[in-house]
Amino acid sequence: MRRFDDMQRRTGMPRQVLSQRLARLVDEGLLRKVPYQESGQRPRSEYRLTEKGLDLYPVLVAMMEWGDKYAVGSAGPQVVLRHRDCGEPVQLQIACEAEHVLESAREVTPVPGPGARKIA
């Protein structure tokens, strides 16, 4: 869904609220507006993800997985993510730079990074 009217129809959100939220996402650099015009209609814009917006995809997948595990209705999830090439379900994995897949957050140790400040 990229077009305002489609988003408004699917979400049921008031037009003014949706307009303000989309404007904020554009201002923050998560979406960009791309002009289009259907035959006989006035020019409009559709919304597309920027690189910054695409970088949020793993966060959204993680939230979907959490919701599917803890907040799904009896009918099951409303959306299932599938790999476009093979059709298999997609799942989020965390791996270290040596490509070890981590099974749990308990396998991670936070350490100070280069931007950390010393506390007296």
Side-chain angles (χ1 to χ4, degrees):
M1 244 184 327
R2 295 181 177 157
R3 298 181 177 178
F4 184 93
D5 289 338
D6 295 336
M7 290 182 214
Q8 199 278 324
R9 190 171 31 261
R10 288 280 296 272
T11 64
M13 191 179 299
R15 295 180 74 78
Q16 183 177 2
V17 173
L18 179 58
S19 180
Q20 290 170 345
R21 290 184 181 174
L22 288 170
R24 174 84 188 267
L25 292 171
V26 169
D27 290 345
E28 295 292 334
L30 299 168
L31 294 176
R32 62 187 168 92
K33 290 170 79 170
V34 177
Y36 75 93
Q37 185 173 8
E38 292 181 356
S39 179
Q41 300 290 321
R42 66 179 173 87
R44 295 179 173 217
S45 296
E46 62 183 24
Y47 297 87
R48 296 195 184 170
L49 287 169
T50 62
E51 285 300 313
K52 185 177 181 180
L54 283 169
D55 284 345
L56 278 175
Y57 191 72
V59 176
L60 299 175
V61 172
M63 291 175 67
M64 284 178 65
E65 287 184 1
W66 184 91
D68 290 350
K69 185 172 181 178
Y70 296 107
V72 72
S74 60
Q78 293 183 13
V79 175
V80 177
L81 302 177
R82 296 207 176 266
H83 183 216
R84 183 173 292 174
D85 289 345
C86 72
E88 289 297 312
V90 171
Q91 65 182 30
L92 190 64
Q93 292 184 328
I94 298 176
C96 70
E97 289 187 9
E99 299 182 10
H100 302 120
V101 175
L102 308 178
E103 300 297 324
S104 165
R106 291 186 170 93
E107 296 180 57
V108 178
T109 302
V111 296
R117 295 183 297 150
K118 287 190 176 192
I119 299 174

